[in-house]
Amino acid sequence: MRFIEARVCNYRSILDTGWFEVEQDKTILVGPNEAGKTVLLQALRHLNPPDGTPQLDPLRDYPRARYSADIQSGAKSPSTIPVTMGRFSLDSDDDAALNAKVSQSLYVRQRFLDNHVEHHFTKSPFVYAYTDPIQKNLLRTATHAAKTATEQGFDPLATLDTLIATWEVDGTMISGSNATNLRSWLESLVPYIDENNETEDRRHTRLLEYTRQAEREAELLRQLEQRLPTFVYFDNYSRVRPNVHLEFLAEREENRHLDDNRHDYGNLCLLKLLGFTARELSDLGKATARSDEQADFDDYRSRLDERQAKLDAASIRLTKEIRGVWRPDPTRGESATLRLLADGQYLKVVVEDDFGVPIELDQRSEGFQWLVSFYTVFFAEAADRYSNAILLLDEPGLSLHGLKQREFRSTLSQLAETNQSLYTTHSPFLVGPDELDLVRVIEKVDDGGTKVHSNVTATDPGALLPLQEALGYDLAQSLFIQSRNLVLEGLTDYWYLESVAELLAVAGDAKLDQRIALIPARTAGKVVYFATVLHANKLKVAALLDSDSAGDQAAKQEILVHTLGNKRILRTADVCHTQVKTPEIEDLLRDTLVVVAKEKLGKDVAAVAASQSRRPIAALLKAEIGGTRFKYKLAKAFVRWSRDNTAADLTADERASWTKLIEAINKSLK
C-alpha cells in the first residue's frame, strides 16, 4: 500500500487544497511563513494517527471565520464535514494478505470533523452502483412479487420507492446501510417469488448476491485498515528533556495536564520507546527491597534488571541511528554515544565523551538535541512498525548546520525508501537540485485559504525562495570546482540530459563522464557569460545549444566562438534524427514525448505530431497543452516517466541520437 494523493478541507487556514499528488518516496513542501505548511501536516496526521493523538475539535480546528455561520448556528453538522482525505494504491502484497484481487483499485480514506472515518475502494470489484442492470432488475422483481403480495396487503413497488427515494440513479453505491436495507427488502419478497419461474428466481438470487458482495467489501476494508501506515508527525517543539522527573510527569499524565507542554510529548515518547509508563518507572525509583523476604527481593531485582536492559537497548538503537547522520569526528573530540540512565525519580539522557564521561544532552548543540528527539519520537510513535509509517516532518533539521542539513537530506532519502515522507522546509540545503519535481509549493491565497501547487509556481515570489537558493547553491558549488563543465541553455535541458544519460548508462549504450558538471544558464543568451567566466578560470568548457533562432544567435557570438572554439559548441541539429529543420533538445525525444504527453499529461497529440513532422515538438505541444510553463510541465513529466521506464522504451532513433550526443560531450571535454 502506498500513499499517492491527499486533500485537506475545512481545517484552520485551509478551506480546500484540492487533490495533490504525493511522491513515491519523499515530498517536499515549501512556502512562506503563515502559508499553512504546518497546518497541512497536522491535518494529514489524522488520516491514521498514532494512539494518543488529540482528536479533531470543531471549535479549535474548523476555520474560525466560518465557525459561527456553519457550526454554531447548526447549519452544518461536524459529521458531514470532511477534513482530510487520502488515496492509496494497492499492490500484490495486499492481494495476498486479503486473499482478494484489490490491486486494481485504490483505497480511499477520509476523516470527518466529528472524528469518524469513512473508506471505500475505487473501481470496487465488490460493490455495484444503483444503475442498470440493477435498477431495472429491482423494478422487475418488485413487479413480479406484487402479483401475489398485494392480495395480502403488501405493496413491493411502494416499499421499493420508499427505499430508493434518496438514491441517485447514477451515483448511489449498493454498500453500507444501502446494501443492508436492500437485502432486508429482498428477503421480505421471498414468499412472493414464484420458485417455478426460473427467470425471476435467478434474478432475485442475483440481486441478493449483490448485497452480500457489499458485506464482503466491508470486511476487506476492515482488514485493509489494519495494514494502513501510521502517520507520524514531528516538529521542532517535540523535544526530549535531558532530565525527566518521573513522579511529576506521572502526576501530569494522570491529571491530564499535558496538552500545553510540548516537552512532555517528547518525554512520553521516550518512555513508550522503553516500554514503561511514567508511573511504573516512578514507582521503581521509590521501591525498596525487603531483605527478609527473598521473593520480594528477587522480584525487585528482576524489575530493575528489566529497566536497565530496556534503557541499554534504547541507548544502542538511538546511538546507531544518530551516528549514521551526525558522523562524529574523533580527531575533534566529538562523540555521539547516548546513554539513558535511571536514578531514583530522574530519567537522564546523557552523551558520553571519548573518556566515558557522561554529559547532559542539553549541553550539546541544538542540532544534536533535535536529532535525538526526532529518532525518539519516530521509533516510539511508529510502535515498532516504522517500516510501515508515513513521516510528516515540520521543518526537520532547522537547527542543524547547512552542511549537516545536506547530510540529513540523504538520511531523509534513506528513510523514505521504507517510510514515505512529507516535510516542510525553508532551507535550500534540504532541497536537492535534482529534486525539484518532488516539490509542492504552499501558499495562502486571498479568500481562498491555503493552496497546494503541484507545479513550481506561486503568486508570492517568496514561496519559491528555497528552490532558487538551492539551485543557486548547487550552481555555486559546481562553478570553479569541476575541471570539466557543460553549459546548458536552461533547467529543462539539464533534466532531459541527466535523465536520458542515466537510462543509457544502465542499458550500456553510453555513459556521460561523471567528472562533467552540468550547468543550466537559464537562457541561450546567458550561455556566453557562464562560458566566459568558467574559461577565465582555466577550466574546460563546452556548451550545448538548441538549433533554433535563439541557439543560432548565441552560437554566432564572437566571444563564445573565440572562448570555446567550434568543436566545443555542440548543436542539437548535429545529432537529431527527425525532419525538424531547427531542432531543440526536446526533438531528440520527439516520439517519447508524445507518449509522455498522453500518459502523464492526458494530451493525445500523436495525430498532430505525425501530420506536422517538420515542426519542433516543443512548439507543437505548446499549442496543444498551453500554459506559460508548459516546458517545465513536460520536462517534469518526462523525469517521472524515466523513473518507471528504461532505455528500451525509447525509440531506436532516439537512443542513437542521445548516444551520439553523449559521446560528443565526452569527446569535447576529454
Side-chain angles (χ1 to χ4, degrees), residues 234 370-379 391 393 408 415:
F234 183 79
W370 183 90
L371 277 179
V372 173
S373 301
F374 165 70
Y375 280 111
T376 297
V377 173
F378 171 47
F379 288 133
L391 304 182
L393 309 178
F408 189 64
L415 284 173

Side-chain angles (χ1 to χ4, degrees), residues 295-431:
D296 286 346
F297 178 81
D298 290 343
D299 178 66
Y300 171 71
R301 185 182 62 183
S302 176
R303 295 177 67 194
L304 288 181
D305 288 345
E306 179 188 6
R307 178 180 70 173
Q308 191 58 51
K310 289 186 176 181
L311 289 172
D312 291 342
S315 300
I316 294 170
R317 189 179 190 184
L318 289 171
T319 296
K320 178 182 177 182
E321 296 297 335
I322 290 168
R323 281 181 174 175
V325 180
W326 196 257
R327 298 187 179 94
D329 184 357
T331 62
R332 299 172 56 187
E334 293 183 352
S335 175
T337 302
L338 278 156
R339 290 290 306 279
L340 302 177
L341 306 174
D343 182 11
Q345 285 301 306
Y346 282 94
L347 179 64
K348 297 181 179 180
V349 184
V350 301
V351 185
E352 290 186 352
D353 64 16
D354 291 341
F355 300 101
V357 178
I359 302 172
E360 283 78 4
L361 180 63
D362 60 354
Q363 295 185 30
R364 294 297 297 263
S365 68
E366 282 288 315
F368 189 84
Q369 292 181 54
W370 183 90
L371 277 179
V372 173
S373 301
F374 165 70
Y375 280 111
T376 297
V377 173
F378 171 47
F379 288 133
E381 292 290 51
D384 283 330
R385 293 187 297 141
Y386 56 89
S387 61
N388 188 33
I390 292 176
L391 304 182
L392 307 172
L393 309 178
D394 196 6
E395 293 289 345
L398 186 62
S399 52
L400 294 175
H401 183 275
L403 296 181
K404 290 290 186 184
Q405 288 184 5
R406 294 192 76 189
E407 294 176 5
F408 189 64
R409 189 177 78 211
S410 300
T411 299
L412 289 173
S413 296
Q414 292 173 6
L415 284 173
E417 292 176 1
T418 52
N419 304 92
Q420 277 185 277
S421 303
L422 294 88
Y423 66 85
T424 66
T425 188
H426 293 289
S427 171
F429 298 102
L430 290 179
V431 183

Side-chain angles (χ1 to χ4, degrees), residues 488-656:
L488 306 168
E489 287 190 15
L491 183 60
T492 55
D493 295 30
Y494 173 93
W495 287 351
Y496 284 124
L497 180 55
E498 187 178 60
S499 299
V500 177
E502 180 66 23
L503 293 178
L504 297 183
V506 172
D509 289 1
K511 185 175 182 180
L512 184 65
D513 191 334
Q514 296 300 303
R515 296 171 297 177
I516 298 175
L518 305 180
I519 303 174
R522 190 175 181 182
T523 64
K526 292 185 178 180
V527 169
V528 63
Y529 300 113
F530 281 83
T532 302
V533 172
L534 291 166
H535 184 266
N537 283 270
K538 300 181 180 180
L539 303 175
K540 290 184 178 180
V541 187
L544 175 60
L545 297 170
D546 291 337
S547 295
D548 57 2
S549 58
D552 284 342
Q553 187 175 356
K556 293 177 182 178
Q557 291 190 47
E558 183 178 350
I559 188 171
L560 184 64
V561 176
H562 175 74
T563 300
L564 302 185
N566 290 324
K567 292 183 178 180
R568 289 186 177 174
I569 300 178
L570 309 176
R571 307 300 304 278
T572 52
D574 296 336
V575 297
C576 189
H577 61 279
T578 68
Q579 301 177 25
V580 179
K581 291 184 178 181
T582 58
E584 303 172 23
I585 196 167
E586 289 87 354
D587 291 299
L588 304 184
L589 291 164
R590 184 182 183 87
D591 297 327
T592 297
L593 290 182
V594 170
V595 175
V596 170
K598 182 177 181 179
E599 293 182 358
K600 301 297 184 181
L601 302 178
K603 299 291 184 179
D604 189 351
V605 297
V608 179
S611 64
Q612 302 181 34
S613 59
R614 295 182 178 275
R615 187 180 180 188
I617 190 66
L620 186 150
L621 288 171
K622 181 179 182 180
E624 295 296 320
I625 297 175
T628 58
R629 296 181 178 270
F630 85 98
K631 272 201 169 187
Y632 166 80
K633 295 177 184 177
L634 184 62
K636 181 179 178 182
F638 176 76
V639 171
R640 291 181 177 175
W641 179 90
S642 69
R643 291 175 178 172
D644 301 324
N645 292 270
T646 66
D649 297 306
L650 301 173
T651 67
D653 286 339
E654 289 173 341
R655 290 178 71 168

Side-chain angles (χ1 to χ4, degrees), residues 102 174 528:
V102 296
I174 310 300
V528 63

Side-chain angles (χ1 to χ4, degrees), residues 7 34 80 104 118 125 173 194 220 266 316 318 346 364 375 434 439 523 586 632 649:
R7 181 182 182 185
E34 302 298 321
T80 64
Q104 301 303 314
E118 294 182 5
M173 305 301 294
D194 185 358
L220 290 175
I316 294 170
L318 289 171
Y346 282 94
R364 294 297 297 263
Y375 280 111
D434 58 343
V439 170
T523 64
E586 289 87 354
Y632 166 80
D649 297 306

